[in-house]
Amino acid sequence: METLGYAPYVCLYPGNIFRLFKQPKLYVALVVALPAAVFGGSLKYWQKYVDEGRLKGVINEDACYSAVVLLVGFLCAFRIDAAYRKFWNACDYSYRFCGDLFNGTCAMLAFTRCSKAPKEDVDQFRHLLVRLVSLLSAVIIGELEVGVARDELADSEETAKTPNFWSLQLIDYEGISQEAQEELLSASNKPEMVFQWVQQIIVGAWNKGIFCVDSPIVGKAFKELADAMHQFHEAQKITEVPFPFPYQMALQLLLISHWIITPIVTVEWTASVPWAAIFSFAGVFALWLFLGLAIELDQPFHATVNSVDMHYLQRLLNHRLLAVIDNIKEPIPSLSQTAKRDVSRRTSNEVSTGGIATVAVSMPTNKSAT
């Protein structure tokens, strides 16, 4: 799925203008606005050349039309604001659950650094945890992408053979036991099942003495993994709770009324047939375009050009997990023999090699010993 790469520093950047034509709702607005333009131009042509003055007096004042436009604009603004907030909440939840998954996993791996358990058990726990966390992230993203349609997809034989999370990058999915893979494919609540697996292997590791820290410290890392599931359940509200139906119907009825009234009103605005068509087109096109973009943003997890790039987040999480598992056996940093321990704090004007300011803190001295 390709997402749009915007150039935020210049609104009229040529690349952004080109990407505008990749917006599917742009063409929906064109399809709706072009008939309105033809309708407005035809009415003006009929009034000017066929039956002059026929439409005079239909709408003597623009106050009625202004009221309709004001009401439609208010509801459109309300709809756009609701979609905008849902989009940014989706970004917030997505990055939070990925961050919580990584933080919890990184802490669990760190707790095995000085483990006295058999090396084979420690190594198996590390690699299984990384694979399951990558799988957990993928099934969460898959659930968010399908939304309320997951019940229908669960009954589909095609989905059972090729679940939607397979389109995401996984860390050695084949490295997980075949029995677990088959159980996952038949499960209706995949994220909850994988999260339960993660919890079970952590509890099993604790019973085997794989962790070298006390249980309260492990509990804090456990909570970070639970927080990731909490963010997932919060994000489900975005995918499963639609925009209120009464507002949606009221907005649609007002848009249809606006589509009908606009060409009739624009006939009285100008004596030119082309300009009557242009005014009709502009009035209808603007509202339908912004409303269409709001509908796109209203489902930020769906695989569209305007959605949150969840595939990127999955790749980013995998990259971080692999970096941790690759370095878990490497030597940890230690203080060098040339480290200065008994010096005063340097000023910020002093810089080390490479142009980076350094600050050395003096070690406290024990005066009583002297």
Side-chain angles (χ1 to χ4, degrees):
M1 186 269 297
E2 179 186 2
T3 57
L4 292 179
Y6 299 101
Y9 47 87
V10 179
C11 291
L12 296 180
Y13 181 72
N16 285 348
I17 297 175
F18 172 75
R19 293 183 181 97
L20 177 64
F21 294 98
K22 291 186 177 182
Q23 297 287 344
K25 299 304 180 182
L26 172 68
Y27 301 99
V28 175
L30 286 173
V31 170
V32 175
L34 285 175
V38 174
F39 184 33
S42 300
L43 287 178
K44 189 61 187 179
Y45 181 86
W46 183 43
Q47 182 195 54
K48 187 174 183 179
Y49 298 107
V50 179
D51 192 358
E52 185 176 355
R54 180 67 175 176
L55 295 177
K56 288 187 177 296
V58 175
I59 299 180
N60 293 323
E61 297 290 340
D62 289 342
C64 178
Y65 178 72
S66 299
V68 173
V69 172
L70 179 63
L71 188 55
V72 173
F74 173 77
L75 286 179
C76 282
F78 178 70
R79 182 72 176 89
I80 294 170
D81 178 68
Y84 185 77
R85 284 186 282 109
K86 287 182 72 173
F87 179 83
W88 285 111
N89 286 336
C91 293
D92 188 30
Y93 295 141
S94 301
Y95 279 84
R96 280 188 178 184
F97 89 73
C98 285
D100 288 337
L101 284 178
F102 174 75
N103 292 340
T105 305
C106 189
M108 291 294 178
L109 295 177
F111 297 158
T112 65
R113 177 76 187 187
C114 302
S115 176
K116 298 180 180 179
K119 182 179 179 181
E120 182 180 353
D121 292 344
V122 176
D123 190 63
Q124 183 177 358
F125 168 74
R126 289 170 176 173
H127 285 273
L128 182 57
L129 178 63
V130 166
R131 285 161 175 78
L132 287 182
V133 169
S134 175
L135 178 60
L136 176 59
S137 174
V139 294
I140 285 177
I141 293 173
E143 288 284 300
L144 293 176
E145 286 185 347
V146 298
V148 294
R150 67 176 182 273
D151 293 334
E152 300 176 2
L153 295 175
D155 299 332
S156 173
E157 295 183 0
E158 181 179 356
T159 304
K161 296 179 181 178
T162 56
N164 58 323
F165 67 84
W166 276 6
S167 62
L168 293 125
Q169 184 186 79
L170 295 171
I171 297 179
D172 189 24
Y173 180 70
E174 298 299 328
I176 302 174
S177 63
Q178 186 65 32
E179 296 80 6
Q181 294 182 31
E182 294 176 357
E183 187 178 0
L184 179 63
L185 292 179
S186 61
S188 57
N189 296 300
K190 293 179 175 60
E192 287 76 10
M193 172 174 285
V194 178
F195 180 62
Q196 182 66 19
W197 289 347
V198 172
Q199 290 179 314
Q200 289 175 0
I201 68 167
I202 293 174
V203 173
W206 171 257
N207 288 329
K208 292 180 181 179
I210 292 178
F211 299 126
C212 58
V213 295
D214 294 332
S215 55
I217 301 178
V218 177
K220 292 182 178 180
F222 217 114
K223 183 179 181 302
E224 287 188 317
L225 296 175
D227 288 341
M229 291 300 294
H230 174 71
Q231 300 300 332
F232 161 60
H233 293 142
E234 288 291 317
Q236 280 187 307
K237 295 187 297 184
I238 296 177
T239 62
E240 297 180 4
V241 180
F243 188 74
F245 178 75
Y247 283 105
Q248 187 70 26
M249 289 303 301
L251 181 57
Q252 290 181 1
L253 291 175
L254 286 172
L255 284 172
I256 294 173
S257 302
H258 176 266
W259 189 96
I260 297 173
I261 296 174
T262 297
I264 300 175
V265 174
T266 55
V267 168
E268 299 298 325
W269 289 359
T270 179
S272 170
V273 173
W275 279 109
I278 292 173
F279 289 149
S280 300
F281 174 84
V284 174
F285 177 78
L287 288 178
W288 283 81
L289 175 61
F290 283 109
L291 183 62
L293 295 178
I295 295 175
E296 284 275 308
L297 296 178
D298 197 60
Q299 295 295 335
F301 296 116
H302 287 192
T304 66
V305 295
N306 297 304
S307 63
V308 181
D309 194 350
M310 304 299 289
H311 290 240
Y312 163 76
L313 289 179
Q314 177 69 14
R315 294 192 302 270
L316 182 62
L317 177 63
N318 289 340
H319 178 74
R320 291 170 173 171
L321 292 174
L322 291 175
V324 172
I325 198 67
D326 288 343
N327 296 324
I328 192 66
K329 297 180 180 180
E330 298 296 327
I332 60 176
S334 60
L335 197 63
S336 67
Q337 296 295 330
T338 59
K340 298 179 179 180
R341 297 172 178 267
D342 194 17
V343 294
S344 61
R345 185 182 299 273
R346 298 183 182 180
T347 63
S348 59
N349 294 329
E350 297 183 17
V351 295
S352 63
T353 304
I356 302 176
T358 61
V359 176
V361 182
S362 60
M363 302 294 290
T365 58
N366 189 355
K367 296 182 178 180
S368 61
T370 61

